[in-house]
Amino acid sequence: MLRNEKGLPYFYKITNRLNGKYYYGSGSLDGYYGSGFALKRAYRKYGKDQFIYEVLRYFDTREDAFRFEQLFLSLYKLDQNPKSYNTCRNANGGYVSKEHYLTVSKR
C-alpha cells in the first residue's frame, strides 16, 4: 500500500513481485492501491501483498502530478508494453489502445 508520508500529491509505481509487471500513476491519498482495471484484476489473482508500492516523486499540486503522469504515459506508451498494467495512454483512463485491446482479447 502506498504511504504518502509527506502529505503531497505524488507519482508512483506498483510492481508485481511474482512476474515483474508494473503500473504507474499519480495520486494524493495515503493507502492508495491504484485504479487501473488490469491492476485490480491482478490484485484479485495474486493478492495485494504480492505488490511493491513506491512513491517516485512528490509534487506541490495534484494538477502537477496529473500532468507529469500524462506526459509519462504518453512518452513511454505503457499501454503497448506487455509488462505494464497500464492500459490507457491518458492519465484519466478511458482510452485503450488498439494494440492493447487486441492483446488482451487474445488471452
Side-chain angles (χ1 to χ4, degrees), residues 14-61:
I14 299 173
T15 306
N16 185 322
R17 298 173 196 263
L18 301 173
N19 62 18
K21 289 183 78 168
Y22 50 81
Y23 180 86
Y24 286 93
S26 64
S28 58
L29 302 173
D30 191 30
Y32 187 59
Y33 284 101
S35 61
F37 75 86
L39 180 63
K40 288 179 180 179
R41 189 174 36 210
Y43 286 149
R44 287 191 298 275
K45 181 176 181 178
Y46 300 106
K48 289 181 180 176
D49 59 326
Q50 295 301 321
F51 291 81
I52 300 166
Y53 303 89
E54 305 170 83
V55 172
L56 302 176
R57 182 174 175 182
Y58 289 97
F59 295 87
D60 292 328
T61 68

Side-chain angles (χ1 to χ4, degrees), residues 4-6 16 25-26 29-31 36 41 45 55 73 85 99-100 103:
N4 187 3
E5 297 166 4
K6 293 185 179 185
N16 185 322
S26 64
L29 302 173
D30 191 30
R41 189 174 36 210
K45 181 176 181 178
V55 172
L73 295 177
Y85 288 119
E99 296 88 351
H100 180 78
T103 301

Side-chain angles (χ1 to χ4, degrees), residues 44-84:
R44 287 191 298 275
K45 181 176 181 178
Y46 300 106
K48 289 181 180 176
D49 59 326
Q50 295 301 321
F51 291 81
I52 300 166
Y53 303 89
E54 305 170 83
V55 172
L56 302 176
R57 182 174 175 182
Y58 289 97
F59 295 87
D60 292 328
T61 68
R62 180 69 181 103
E63 291 76 22
D64 289 344
F66 184 80
R67 278 194 292 273
F68 184 86
E69 177 188 5
Q70 180 62 62
L71 178 63
F72 189 90
L73 295 177
S74 296
L75 182 63
Y76 291 102
K77 299 180 176 117
L78 296 179
D79 59 312
Q80 295 179 20
N81 188 327
K83 293 295 281 180
S84 173

